[in-house]
């Protein structure tokens, strides 16, 4: 109801109502554009203040956002936090206020920060990549001119990205190498230009297919058999030629050089033994000479007698 009509009604019917005394005209034409909440001042007046609140749904608790002296509130820096929320605004002066005017719900069309949704299903050498929107507002705004660009690359080859373009739904990517780790990401393209923010990056290892797993098992089994067979042949040859192998491995019976040198030199104790033998022989000779001399002297003494 126009505040002038309310005021006239109060004067005509003399209704002492609080609405007649305290209610201000509310903001007009509340809209959300490019992460900015805008409204028109009531009756073109610019000397009002405004209180802005937000909530997840109208039935829940409202939270204070700002007391604004301009007919707008920019939430670009926190657009992700306000996604899906509802604002409400009212006009205020020192002791008067207007009714609350709600805004529409914040959707992707109201911000430029939405990112695509996507999920992965990995099967052996292929990946199923599902893409979708947070809401349908971008399809309403751009129609068929908004598409998804799916990117994937090997984890260690980020500069070599592969691209797919899809309008939505599930994309099948084939020809991926088993055992390799691939990373995936999705971005918006609106009129062939990047729009919003890129999605998160998901990396997955491509599993080995059952056929490849069976081949690996067979190869490993063959290698084990070959190794065991070779080991058995070596043992058999060793057993049959044990004496030859032992003789071949036996070191040559040669006296080390330092031992030969030790025995070839004349040792001090040998000299001592030789000297002792010579002295003993000398003593025996001396004793033998002395005994002969004694006999001769005895014979001489008998002849004299």
């Amino acid at each position: 109801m126009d505040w002038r009509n309310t005021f006239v009604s109060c004067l005509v019917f003399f209704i002492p109502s609080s609405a007649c005394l305290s209610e201000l005209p509310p903001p007009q034409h509340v809209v959300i554009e490019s992460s900015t909440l805008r409204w028109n001042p009531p009756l073109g007046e610019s000397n009002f203040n405004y209180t802005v609140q937000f909530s997840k749904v109208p039935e829940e608790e409202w939270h204070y956002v700002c007391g604004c002296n301009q007919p707008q509130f920019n939430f670009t820096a926190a657009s992700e936090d306000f996604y899906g929320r509802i604002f409400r605004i009212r006009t205020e002066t020192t002791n008067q206020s207007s009714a609350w005017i709600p805004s529409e719900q914040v959707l992707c069309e109201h911000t430029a920060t939405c990112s695509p949704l996507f999920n992965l299903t990995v099967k052996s050498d292929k990946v199923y990549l599902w893409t979708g929107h947070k809401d349908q507002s971008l399809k309403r705004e751009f129609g068929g001119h908004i598409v998804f660009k799916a990117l994937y690359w090997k984890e260690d080859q980020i500069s070599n990205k592969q691209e797919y373009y899809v309008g939505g739904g599930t994309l099948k990517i084939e020809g991926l190498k088993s055992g390799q780790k691939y990373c995936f990401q999705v971005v918006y393209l609106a009129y062939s230009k990047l729009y919003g923010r890129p999605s998160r990056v998901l990396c997955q290892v491509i599993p080995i297919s059952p056929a490849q797993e069976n081949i690996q098992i067979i190869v490993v089994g063959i290698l084990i058999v070959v190794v065991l067979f070779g080991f058995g042949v070596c043992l058999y040859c060793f057993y049959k030629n044990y004496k030859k192998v032992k003789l071949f491995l036996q070191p040559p019976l040669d006296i080390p050089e330092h031992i030969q040198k030790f025995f070839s030199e004349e040792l001090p104790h040998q000299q001592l033994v030789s000297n002792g033998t010579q002295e003993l022989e000398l003593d025996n000779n001396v004793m033998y000479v002395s005994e002969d001399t004694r006999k001769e002297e005895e014979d001489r003494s008998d002849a004299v007698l």
Side-chain angles (χ1 to χ4, degrees):
M1 180 185 294
D2 194 315
W3 73 278
R4 291 182 179 180
N5 293 337
T6 304
F7 182 71
V8 171
S9 299
C10 292
L11 291 177
V12 172
F13 297 103
F14 302 100
I15 301 176
S17 164
S18 60
C20 301
L21 298 176
S22 61
E23 187 169 302
L24 295 175
Q28 305 293 317
H29 305 295
V30 178
V31 295
I32 303 175
E33 297 175 342
S34 302
S35 301
T36 302
L37 176 68
R38 292 189 175 89
W39 60 90
N40 292 335
L43 303 176
E45 296 288 341
S46 58
N47 57 347
F48 290 118
N49 291 324
Y50 307 94
T51 296
V52 180
Q53 295 180 344
F54 79 94
S55 177
K56 290 183 178 180
V57 292
E59 293 78 14
E60 292 190 4
E61 182 182 358
W62 290 88
H63 303 277
Y64 176 83
V65 176
C66 76
C68 308
N69 55 13
Q70 297 294 328
Q72 66 177 20
F73 167 65
N74 187 293
F75 56 94
T76 302
S79 57
E80 289 293 323
D81 296 331
F82 286 112
Y83 176 81
R85 306 296 191 263
I86 297 173
F87 293 103
R88 67 178 185 178
I89 312 99
R90 73 178 180 183
T91 308
E92 291 183 348
T93 59
T94 304
N95 55 2
Q96 291 179 304
S97 61
S98 71
W100 291 102
I101 302 298
S103 72
E104 58 188 326
Q105 188 180 24
V106 178
L107 301 175
C108 286
E109 64 178 341
H110 302 131
T111 68
T113 58
C114 274
S115 57
L117 301 177
F118 84 102
N119 201 0
L120 296 175
T121 302
V122 182
K123 293 183 178 180
S124 61
D125 62 341
K126 63 179 69 70
V127 168
Y128 295 91
L129 189 150
W130 173 86
T131 56
H133 301 280
K134 277 187 174 182
D135 54 62
Q136 300 302 310
S137 61
L138 293 181
K139 293 185 70 174
R140 290 195 301 267
E141 182 177 356
F142 296 105
H145 298 286
I146 183 104
V147 297
F148 301 95
K149 182 170 77 169
L151 307 169
Y152 75 93
W153 62 93
K154 285 186 179 180
E155 188 181 35
D156 57 348
Q157 298 179 7
I158 191 171
S159 60
N160 186 21
K161 294 183 178 180
Q162 305 297 320
E163 300 178 355
Y164 282 94
Y165 297 89
V166 61
T170 301
L171 170 67
K172 182 170 71 171
I173 303 175
E174 297 181 293
L176 304 179
K177 293 184 179 181
S178 300
Q180 297 289 327
K181 192 172 186 179
Y182 288 84
C183 296
F184 302 83
Q185 189 178 42
V186 180
V187 297
Y188 275 128
L189 287 181
Y191 293 102
S192 302
K193 294 182 179 180
L194 290 175
Y195 180 86
R197 292 178 178 175
S199 70
R200 70 193 191 281
V201 176
L202 287 180
C203 296
Q204 293 285 343
V205 176
I206 307 302
I208 299 173
S209 64
Q212 291 175 324
E213 189 174 357
N214 291 335
I215 291 173
Q216 288 186 353
I217 292 173
I218 292 172
V219 171
V220 171
I222 292 173
L223 289 175
I224 292 174
V225 171
V226 170
V227 171
L228 291 177
F229 178 77
F231 183 71
V233 170
C234 292
L235 286 179
Y236 178 77
C237 293
F238 181 79
Y239 174 76
K240 297 296 291 183
N241 300 280
Y242 172 73
K243 293 183 178 180
K244 294 181 180 180
V245 173
K246 184 178 180 181
L247 182 61
F248 176 77
L249 296 177
Q250 187 175 4
L253 296 176
D254 191 13
I255 300 175
E257 184 179 353
H258 66 282
I259 297 179
Q260 292 180 2
K261 185 177 180 181
F262 176 80
F263 283 106
S264 64
E265 293 179 352
E266 189 176 357
L267 298 178
H269 74 276
Q270 291 178 339
Q271 295 177 357
L272 291 175
V273 171
S274 300
N275 295 334
T277 304
Q278 291 176 359
E279 290 178 358
L280 182 59
E281 291 177 352
L282 268 171
D283 290 340
N284 291 335
N285 292 333
V286 171
M287 292 177 62
Y288 179 75
V289 171
S290 299
E291 187 176 354
D292 291 342
T293 305
R294 185 175 59 81
K295 286 182 177 183
E296 288 179 358
E297 290 178 352
E298 288 181 355
D299 291 339
R300 288 177 183 173
S301 61
D302 291 339
V304 171
L305 293 176

